[in-house]
Amino acid sequence: MKQYLLSIYQPASQGQPDPEFLAGVMRELGAIREELEATGSWVFGQGLHAPETATVLRPKEGEVLVTDGPFVEGKEYLGGFTIIRAADLDAALDWGRRYALATTLPIEVRPFQGEE
């Protein structure tokens, strides 16, 4: 089975969600993860700290420039990700749809290279 990255994008303007809403999202994500594990499709997944905790390393003229914070200003940022195994893109998209519905956030599904 191929591996796919499910990227979870959060709006930059969105603050901390209501605790009751977040609890429901976490329950849904837990149920999806249990199903992924039961089918042998779970590889790894985790949320990320806010973008301002990022450090960017950029090569320039034989040196590496270190910049604190996100690389670019954007309306959305990568808030977390999950890596799954799926038979094909359609199956990976089905899992991605479930994540989108559970989180109410955009989900990008992308295959890893070298698994054709």
Side-chain angles (χ1 to χ4, degrees), residues 37-49:
E37 288 174 338
T39 63
S41 299
W42 175 260
V43 176
F44 179 80
Q46 193 64 41
L48 298 170
H49 285 285

Side-chain angles (χ1 to χ4, degrees), residues 11-76:
S13 61
Q14 181 181 14
Q16 189 73 327
D18 173 65
E20 189 173 311
F21 173 79
L22 185 57
V25 168
M26 297 310 290
R27 276 192 303 276
E28 282 291 315
L29 292 178
I32 294 170
R33 179 175 175 166
E34 286 177 12
E35 192 173 337
L36 281 164
E37 288 174 338
T39 63
S41 299
W42 175 260
V43 176
F44 179 80
Q46 193 64 41
L48 298 170
H49 285 285
E52 56 269 9
T53 65
T55 303
V56 176
L57 305 171
R58 177 179 282 284
K60 185 175 182 178
E61 300 173 3
E63 300 290 326
V64 177
L65 176 64
V66 178
T67 306
D68 291 332
F71 174 64
V72 295
E73 293 294 322
K75 294 180 181 179
E76 296 177 333

Side-chain angles (χ1 to χ4, degrees), residues 3 6 10 16 18-19 24 31 36-37 41 46 50 53 67 79-80 85 93 97-100 109-110 114:
Q3 290 187 356
L6 307 182
Q10 295 181 239
Q16 189 73 327
D18 173 65
L36 281 164
E37 288 174 338
S41 299
Q46 193 64 41
T53 65
T67 306
R85 289 185 194 94
L93 291 173
R97 282 183 190 91
R98 294 198 45 202
Y99 272 85
V109 177
R110 189 185 301 190

Side-chain angles (χ1 to χ4, degrees), residues 2-9 43-46 48 78 80-86 89 92-93 95-96 99 107-113 115:
K2 288 181 164 185
Q3 290 187 356
Y4 294 85
L5 175 68
L6 307 182
S7 301
I8 302 167
Y9 288 95
V43 176
F44 179 80
Q46 193 64 41
L48 298 170
L78 182 63
F81 64 92
T82 299
I83 300 171
I84 63 167
R85 289 185 194 94
L89 179 59
L93 291 173
W95 289 112
Y99 272 85
I107 305 295
E108 177 185 72
V109 177
R110 189 185 301 190
F112 281 91
Q113 291 183 358
E115 298 194 9

